[in-house]
Amino acid sequence: MFLAQAHARLADALDGLDPILGPLGQRFADAGFELALVGGSVRDALLGRGMPDLDFTTDARPDDILRLITGWADAHWDIGRRFGTIGMIRSGYQIEITTYRAEAYDPESRKPTVAFGDSLDDDLLRRDFTIGAMAVRLPARVFVDPFGGLADLEAGRIRTPGSAEMSFGDDPLRMMRAARFTSQLDFAAAGEVVEAMTGMAERIDIVSAERVRDELVKLVCGAAPRRGIELLVDTGLAERILPEVAGLRLERDEHHRHKDVYQHSLTVLDQAIELESRYAARQEKAGIAEGDPQRLPVPDFVVRFAALMHDIGKPSTRRFEPGGAVTFYHHDVVGAKMTAKRMKALHFDKDTTKKVARLVELHLRFYGYGDAGWSDSAVRRYVTDAGDLLPRLHILTRSDVTTRNRRKAERLAHAYDDLEERITALAEQEKLDAIRPDLDGKQIMALLDIPPGREVGEAYRFLLEERMEHGPLGEERAAAVLREWWDARQG
């Protein structure tokens, strides 16, 4: 059944693309060259997925490709020419055509050496996985699958066309891609792939941090990132790129119950993904615009990665107390620093790093709310400290409840429901998302008759504290409070 449906989906996709595939294939055939739709384009068509980008391969050399597409493409570029790739736009599709090639990594080099080939089957053999080593010859539309990629799609299996050792030796980043595809497609890696990844894990060290980072982001944003993370940890790759996550396996949670901190973190990740969609739908219903800083993208790397990393500070803060209790005091602060350090090593941008680290730092802030209750000023501080990250903090805090004790879980959920309701109520009253003192800097300088400088900042912070503690004061009351504070300082 799957095979018949897959072929039907492929035929439908090819029919829809005929205005591109037909003329392009004919141009190459008339010039005496082969052309085939290949790789992810064919895989996605077989799965019934959208195909915004189209990848082709050919025995034509880059100069020949350029000659054949000039005047037909709406636009083209040759930035990948030295690697045999010519890019173009046609009818809204982004297209890449690459000369048959062989790639191999020098054992000591991060950069591939490229040699052009003359055979489609040889080109497919050098591709990363069988599910990307399928092609459709054009213009005749002949399906080519020499390594069983379609069967692997049916089985939900990640396998290499040749030996896994040869594939990962050619390009060690393919080990990261294997983990990424298990996440994106919710597939399992074949035994020989897992074995090769385990034996060759140290080879990832020669790959640039940027390339590793990009694969990690795709993995975390996939449909089943837990699968990808588990594969990285089980094979030892995580010890080289995310050692803090791998280290969580050794730590039992503070209750010594059914799961260790590693499994807890994976469960938090799963739950964050589920809540991510709910909160995004709620925001859309509320009319929060796409450009709003608090608007959640789906998938959202920031909240997912924070969920994965939120407890990495526990191993270094674990303490055994008299009576057998275990504590992890300040693991939130320590974990935030560790997260920022790891993301810097992976060359993440400063903004993303700051957001993820801040969520890790704030993930415990809610606890105690249900028992002791918070004043309005405490609620204001919670919102102010979270800033634009507030929806993500809601997700992370709720996801961090993984207890099997139903009564405890329900109590925490009700407490957070109450907190969100209070935040909403206060926001309606005070425009909480933009808390500012009742007087600005110019008003402070005029009232106190002081020039710009440190004292203005101190007065501003004093008024902000008053605003946080007591809510809106109004300009008249704020001025009186400020004068009283200033007089006391001067006396």
Side-chain angles (χ1 to χ4, degrees), residues 259-436:
K259 56 185 178 293
D260 58 22
V261 181
Y262 170 63
Q263 290 298 325
H264 162 76
S265 298
L266 293 178
T267 301
V268 173
L269 173 58
D270 288 339
Q271 295 182 166
I273 293 169
E274 182 180 354
L275 287 174
E276 171 188 271
S277 297
R278 293 188 197 174
Y279 272 83
R282 186 185 304 176
Q283 289 184 333
E284 184 174 359
K285 186 176 181 180
I288 297 177
E290 287 286 348
D292 192 300
Q294 292 197 22
R295 179 66 184 261
L296 287 168
V298 177
D300 182 21
F301 173 80
V302 170
V303 75
R304 292 184 180 200
F305 200 55
L308 178 64
M309 303 290 278
H310 77 285
D311 271 349
I312 62 171
K314 281 190 170 181
S316 60
T317 59
R318 182 174 65 168
R319 299 291 182 270
F320 295 98
E321 304 294 335
V326 182
T327 63
F328 302 94
Y329 293 133
H330 308 301
H331 77 269
D332 46 347
V333 177
V334 172
K337 293 178 180 178
M338 293 171 65
T339 298
K341 183 178 180 180
R342 177 53 50 196
M343 294 182 72
K344 182 178 180 181
L346 289 170
H347 294 191
F348 277 91
D349 64 273
K350 291 182 180 179
D351 183 60
T352 303
T353 299
K354 182 179 179 180
K355 288 177 179 177
V356 175
R358 184 61 169 159
L359 283 173
V360 172
E361 183 180 0
L362 293 173
H363 83 271
L364 291 180
R365 190 68 64 89
F366 161 74
Y367 291 94
Y369 174 85
D371 297 328
W374 284 0
S375 65
D376 284 352
S377 63
V379 176
R380 293 186 190 100
R381 283 188 172 86
Y382 187 78
V383 174
T384 302
D385 289 346
D388 292 338
L389 294 173
L390 184 61
R392 291 179 167 114
L393 184 57
H394 290 334
I395 292 172
L396 179 57
T397 303
R398 288 184 180 275
S399 301
D400 199 20
V401 179
T402 61
T403 178
R404 289 181 177 177
N405 184 322
R406 180 177 296 179
R407 292 181 64 184
K408 180 179 179 181
E410 289 178 349
R411 186 179 79 249
L412 289 169
H414 288 319
Y416 208 85
D417 288 342
D418 182 69
L419 175 58
E420 286 202 57
E421 289 171 3
R422 288 184 63 190
I423 289 171
T424 300
L426 283 171
E428 291 173 352
Q429 296 170 16
E430 307 174 11
K431 295 184 179 179
L432 190 60
D433 58 343
I435 290 178
R436 298 290 186 273

Side-chain angles (χ1 to χ4, degrees), residues 178-187 218-229 304:
R180 187 242 292 184
F181 279 123
T182 64
S183 168
Q184 289 185 325
L185 300 174
D186 198 9
F187 281 14
K218 293 174 183 176
L219 185 160
V220 171
C221 290
R226 183 187 192 119
R227 268 199 156 173
I229 296 297
R304 292 184 180 200

